Structure formats: C-alpha cells, structure tokens
Amino acid sequence: MGNGIQTDLGVIQESQKVNMQVQQANTKGLEHKTTRPLFNMFHLHFWMVFCFIPNGWCNSSVSGPHRDPVRWFQAAGDYILGGLFPLYSTDVNWNNETKSESRECERFHLDGFHWLQAMKFAIEEINNSSTLLPGVTLGYTIQDTCLNSLVAIQSAISFLAPKNGNRFELKCDYMDYRTRVLAVLGPSNSELSRVIARLFSFLLIPQISYAASSNLFSDRMSFPSFYRTIPTDEVQAAAIVSIVEMFQWNWMAVIGTDNMYGRRGIEHFTKLASKSGICIAYEELIPLNLPDSEHQRKMVSVIKNIVYSRVNVTAVFADEEYAKTLMTIILEQNVTGKVWIASEAWATSKIVARSPNISSIGTILGVAIKSSYIPGFKYYISTALAHSPLKSQKCRSDHKSLKEEECKEQSVSEGDGLVEDMQRISFNVYSAVYAVAHALHHLLRCDIENCTRNIVYPWQLLKEIPQVNFTLHSTAIFFDKHGNPPTGYDILNWQWKSGNPTPEFRLVGEYRAQRKELLINTSLIKWNTLQNKIPGSNCSTSCGPGQIKLVKGYHSCCYKCADCPAGTFQSNDNQCLPCLKNEWSLSKSVECQKKTIEFLQWTDTLAILLASLTAVGLFIIAAITGIFIINLNTPMVQLAGGTTCLVMLISMAISCCSLYCFMEKPNWLFCTIRQPIFSISLTGCLSPMLVKSFQIVVCTVWLSTSPPSVFANYNISVSAIVMECDEGLMTGFGLLLAYNGLLALACFLCTFMVQSSAKTYNLARHITFAMLIYLMAWVFFIPAYTTAKGKFVSSIQLFACLVSVYGIITAYFLPKCYIILLKPEFNSQSYCQSPINNPPPTTE
C-alpha cells in the first residue's frame, strides 16, 4: 500500500512552485457549448461562479507548464473522489519584518501530508476489500489548498470540470452533468470551506469536511451538500464551558484569531459561558493582516491585558501557527503559572509543544478531536515518512550537521510520535471516505459479490449520504439533520516529564456531545502549581451557605457576600426569602425549620409540680370538709360559718379542679370554661351566695361579648409556636379578677380593725391573714401575667390560684381543724363567741 509514495511526494514538491505562481494564473473567460439564449439561468450561473472566483479565474486548470504535474495526484477508478489538503502552508513570524514574497506557500505541511495519506489509505483499503464495493474501484484526485483561499478556489474549480473535459460548462440543467469528481473531502478549515462550499452546494456535489467546525455550515438551506466528520464549534465551546464549570472557575479571558474559526469559537463560548454564570473579564481578537511590528505590539497588549484583568484561566481559539506565536510572546512577557485551554486546532500541535521553555507558562488543557485507531495506518504513514524527500530536505536545513540517513531516521522517529495525534484528524478523513463508500454501496445496490456499474451523478449520491449509519473500528459514523457527526472531544493535559522539553498529550477525559456530558479523571491532571493544587480563577470568593451575592460593578462574578438575617433563608435565585409563619431560621440559613408546638404539658416539670400541689390541695380540702361535716354543730364550725364553710370548701375544690384546664394543649372548651369556673368558684369562697349571683352576671356578659379562644402565638419564640388561650376582651377578664379582689379587700378592711378578747377565738385575725395572702398573690399576679410570654403564662395564674387556695386553707380553715382535732377543750361556746356578739367593754 506504500507504492508510489515517493512519486507523490515529488509531485508535491513540484506543486510548491505552482502555488507560488497562483496570482499569475490565466484569466480566460468562461466557454459555453450552446448558441441558444441562456435566459435568467445564465445570469444566475454567471453570478454563482464569478462571485467565488477572484480576479476572474475560470479555467479548470492553470495554463502553463507549472500546473501539469497536478495530474500525478490522481489515481484511476470507476468513481473519483476529490481531496483538498494543505500540503504546504505559510510560515507566520510576527517577530521579524519579512517580505511579502516569503509568505507564499513555502513550508511543507506535515499534518496535511498525514491527512492525504489517510484518504489514500482508506481508498486502497476499500478497493482491496470485497465486502463494501465488490467489483468497483474508487479513484482520487487530490489538490493542495496551501491554506490559502485563492489556491483553494482554483483547486475546487478544477473539480467542477466535466468528467471527460477540461472546462466548466454553463448549462440550464445540471441534472445530467457529471463532474470530474463524485464527492469532495475537505478542505481543512472553516475559512476555506466557506469560500468553496457554495460552489459545491450549487451543483449538489457532496462535500465532507474533516476539519471545518464552524456552525455556519449547519444551515442546510445555504449549504445543502455540506457534511463533516468533525464536531461543530458549538460542541467545542460546550466542552470548554463544562471544563470551566467542573473546576468552579468563573473569571476568565478568551482570545482568538480574527478569522472565522476564532470569531465563531469566541462567539459560541461567550454565549454558553454567560448562560452558565461565567464572566469574561477580557475578550480579544488577534488581527491577522497588520504589519509585523503592529502585530507584535498588539500581542504584547493582549498579554498585558490578560495579566491586568487578574484572570488565571484563558481559552485560546487559534490555529497552531498563531498559537505558537502567542505562546512565544507569553514567554517573552514572563507570564507564568496560569491555565491555558487550547482549542482543537492546537491542542495536539507539536509545533506549539516544541516552543522553548513552554512548560513555564503554566497548565495547558486541550480540547482535541477524538482519537480512533486505524489498523495498519501507523506502518503506512511511517513508510511514507521514510520515503519523504521533503522531510529529509527540511531536516537538513534545520540540522545542517546531520547526514541524509540520519535525517531520515529522525523523520521516522518524529513520525512515530505524531501518528497517534495525527490519527485524530486522519480518522475524520478515513471515516469520510468510508461514508461515501457506504452511500455508494447502497446507491449501486451492492451485494456480497458485485455492484451495478451505473452512471452516478453527484446529486444522487448526495441523497444517500444522510442515510449512512455504520460502525467503523468501534466508532459510530452517521450524520444528523444538520450534517454533523455524533462525536465529541477528548480532553488532554500537556504533561512534561523530567528531561523531555516536549510534553506528552495525556488523555484525562472526554466530552460526549450527544449527552452533553463531561467526564474527567481529575487525578490524572498535572497542574503546574505547588503541591499540584488546582488553581482558582474567580473575581470574588464563593459565598458561604446562607449568604447572597451583592454584585459590584458590571460583572456578575464580582460581588460581596451578605448574610441572610434570622427569619429568612437563602433561595436558589440568590435572595433572602422570609420563612413562613410556622417556620423559623437562624442567621445564614439555607432553609427554614418547622416551629415546634409549645404548651404546658403534663410531662413538664412545672406542670408536674403544679398538678401535685393541686392534688395535695384537693386532699386537704377533702379532709377539712370531712372534719367540718363531722363537727358541723360544734361551736368552732358554727363560728366559721357552718354550712356556709362547706359551700366555701366545695367552691375551693372546684377552683382547684379548674386548674387542670390550664394544662395540655388548649382547645375551645377548656379556653371557654376555665376562667369562669375558676372565678365563680373562688367567689364562692369570698362572698355569700347572694353576692355570688352578681359574679355570674359579669361572666355572662364577658362570654357573650368577647369569649376566649385558642390562639397560636408565633411571636414569642423564633423556633416554636406557643399554643395559648386568648382570654378575649381584657376588660371582661379584668372585671372577673377585680370583683374577687374587691371582695377580698372588703373582707380585709372589715376585719383588720376588729379587736377581740384574749379569751375568745380571733376569727377576724384569721380572715385578715387569709385575705392578705389572697391579695398579695393577685397583686404579684397582675404584672407577672401581663409581662410573661410563652407556654408558662398559664402557670402564673395557676400559682396565683394555688397560693390563694392554700392561703385560705392555711389561715382560715387549718386553725379551726387544729382546735377541733387537737384542742377540743377550746371548741366551746364561750371560746367561740363571735366578736360581733360580744358587747363592747364599758368604762366607768
């Protein structure tokens, strides 16, 4: 499969001379083979051709002896494929003033040579196989583009000539027009593809580019015959944005060359970056048509602006020649320690990688065309390089001390190192050839033995291209509705090993276009930083949980952090939102917590104490009641009030029982009855039955005008909801308490001044002390009740009630029980004489 390679390379060398004389090409007019009027179709054809042919080029080949060697880039076959490859390119040197003549096609382009060989290899492989196109052979016609639009146009026009002619024919109908080639592979970049794609689309000639990534060609109305085996710029931009997001960078720069590749790359990247919250601190296009000295100043300015913007990450969309110059100037400006994200155009460029001391600029991550294995291609390309006179010639010019054999060995060695990286684009070329072959397979109705040898027109083949769907060496090959492949990108990391100035392009991950998924093994990345630490690139440090960003200035990535106050939480849209009424939060919270429900529960320590005291009080009241009933007719009981005491004791018992309504979760029933029961029953201890009837009237008015209700208090605690009984109108509730208080005060005043004989029981004194305790309890209750908050508010009233009950029991009833049980001798009529019945002493 390597036969004829030396001849091909000799022709390449000869074609260099042709390319340098492109501008001297013949400019003869178009010929047409009909004398009939061309009507409007002629004007359309005339415009379509001449709008793409600068300086009036229209011949299918350049006149003169220099163009004749092009025929040696051909191989015969039943169906011919065209190839457009950059076999030569122009050196870019912005550091030195050079004459314009030195910028013509003068440098052998090794990449283009690899890609050309991939096309030849695929065609030879298909022809030598009996499965895909049995009995049919493919041929090729390959032209050099020199990475120059003028040369590319001339090469493309040569493909438009009829199959057996030399000049392009103008016709009204091209349905039966057979061009020299059935399909075209190439060219190698978007700039050249834009120039010639409309020509091929006009004649519906299938064009499959292996390296033109601009999204412009996804427009099927403008480019109906354009397909490609390389992902679009938008996919590349999405991959780079995903890398930036993975490492949490949001402050970066992006630069690119001022051509279609750089402009479109920056456009797609900035659009996606903006949607992802990534701020572009600095954006710049590198002009390509300035004088060398101005280029130098412009590049220095770009690098200084990158440094000034304080970014640590920069994405570069540039071809390898311009990327190399950029890296050189970065090194000259002593910019180190930054992260550079390489676009696919230079992510695997040995030209850039061999820049002296390039490892000092920092870390380089690259988005590269996915690499696929082509069996047998490594040997094929190594053989081609070993027989390359141009490579030997270039080696001897670069290393004058080396002999020819040594140069050949060095060329082969370099080629072996390049094969893996070159197979990225080479596989695109390889798969493009197979895509055409599969379309032909279906069009020619091939079976396992042979294919029909029909005349095939380009438009017929074009109908079959979108239908191809096959697997080539474990890689799926097909095109979507826009003519784009399903492939994504490899993620590379340039890694330098000790003693080797040229980096290894280490595969660390991949971007899957169909799933929009980035997979990176971060442990494989070597960061050129201390302790291999991932560098940061942020205008502001990240805000912590519970903090919001307050933007400073123009960029959303520059901000200060503010804490969300208590009672609010941080939302996903960078706001502090208030919690719901039944929720709470501390300062710097990311969510609100449900408030707990609080009330005086039976299990609370205070509740247990109050319930115990109430139970003890009830027991004492029951005991006193039993004692009084047994001794009802005794003078002491009669002195205390007789049956009226029983009413008082029962009232106190009811009052004590009402205290249990102050415990547990409030409800409508307990909130409604607890205060009336307590007040009315307590009135029974303080007033005779007749006076008590007035208290009932007060309770009825209070309950009818503003009855108590269950109330959930959200304002007492930030973390809890306190369930309370709202006593309704405080005036009515106050009247209930005030009425009993006035009764107690009246009793106190009436008995405070009463004098008693030392030989009789001092009933007035006991009433005085009982009322004094009662009044003191409720005097302290009023300020405590009005200022207290929380679930223990009820407990304040419980304490006041218990103190009142215990005060009456202790001061009024227990002394009488003491006499009845322990001093029965004093339970006599004479000792129990009421002070009211005793006549006042007389004075003589």
Side-chain angles (χ1 to χ4, degrees), residues 21-34:
Q21 300 178 16
V22 167
Q23 295 185 359
Q24 300 175 3
N26 188 14
T27 58
K28 295 181 180 180
L30 288 172
E31 296 183 358
H32 56 85
K33 298 182 179 180
T34 178

Side-chain angles (χ1 to χ4, degrees), residues 18-27 50-62 67 84 90 103-105 143-158 187 189 191-196 199:
V18 177
N19 293 329
M20 295 179 65
Q21 300 178 16
V22 167
Q23 295 185 359
Q24 300 175 3
N26 188 14
T27 58
F50 276 90
C51 71
F52 291 108
I53 306 180
N55 300 327
W57 287 352
C58 57
N59 288 335
S60 61
S61 62
V62 178
R67 195 60 179 171
L84 295 173
T90 301
R103 292 197 171 202
E104 300 295 341
C105 294
Q143 298 277 11
D144 181 18
T145 65
C146 196
L147 292 178
N148 184 294
S149 59
L150 299 179
V151 179
I153 290 173
Q154 182 191 14
S155 299
I157 293 174
S158 71
N189 60 46
E191 198 76 31
L192 298 182
S193 295
R194 183 180 62 172
V195 174
I196 64 176
L199 276 176

Side-chain angles (χ1 to χ4, degrees), residues 340-472:
W340 304 89
I341 302 180
S343 66
E344 51 83 20
W346 66 280
T348 59
S349 172
K350 291 290 186 179
I351 295 176
V352 181
R354 290 195 181 101
S355 300
N357 200 32
I358 191 173
S359 61
S360 65
I361 70 170
T363 303
I364 297 180
L365 297 174
V367 177
I369 304 299
K370 291 192 73 65
S371 177
S372 297
Y373 178 66
I374 306 177
F377 185 62
K378 180 176 181 180
Y379 173 79
Y380 187 89
I381 197 68
S382 299
T383 305
L385 286 170
H387 290 83
S388 170
L390 295 177
K391 281 289 291 180
S392 298
Q393 179 183 356
K394 184 177 185 298
C395 169
R396 291 197 303 275
S397 64
D398 294 341
H399 308 280
K400 299 184 182 300
S401 61
L402 295 180
K403 298 179 180 179
E404 181 174 354
E405 292 300 324
E406 293 173 333
C407 274
K408 285 185 178 181
E409 292 177 1
Q410 179 172 325
S411 298
V412 173
S413 176
E414 291 178 355
D416 290 341
L418 288 171
V419 165
E420 180 180 353
D421 298 319
M422 289 302 102
Q423 284 196 47
R424 298 179 185 275
I425 297 294
S426 295
F427 186 82
N428 289 353
V429 178
Y430 181 77
S431 60
V433 174
Y434 268 89
V436 175
H438 275 267
L440 269 175
H441 175 87
H442 187 269
L443 187 61
L444 299 178
R445 300 176 181 177
C446 300
D447 54 26
I448 59 174
E449 294 182 355
N450 54 49
C451 302
T452 58
R453 291 174 175 267
N454 296 332
I455 294 177
V456 176
Y457 297 101
W459 62 267
Q460 292 177 311
L461 180 64
L462 181 61
K463 290 176 62 177
E464 300 296 333
I465 295 292
Q467 311 304 322
V468 299
N469 192 332
F470 60 96
T471 300
L472 186 62

Side-chain angles (χ1 to χ4, degrees), residues 498-528:
S498 178
N500 189 355
T502 303
E504 171 193 355
F505 304 139
R506 180 70 181 275
L507 179 66
V508 295
E510 65 173 326
Y511 179 78
R512 298 176 178 177
Q514 289 184 299
R515 299 181 182 178
K516 297 182 179 180
E517 178 183 29
L518 177 68
L519 301 175
I520 292 184
N521 186 346
T522 55
S523 64
L524 298 178
I525 299 178
K526 288 187 177 180
W527 305 96
N528 285 354

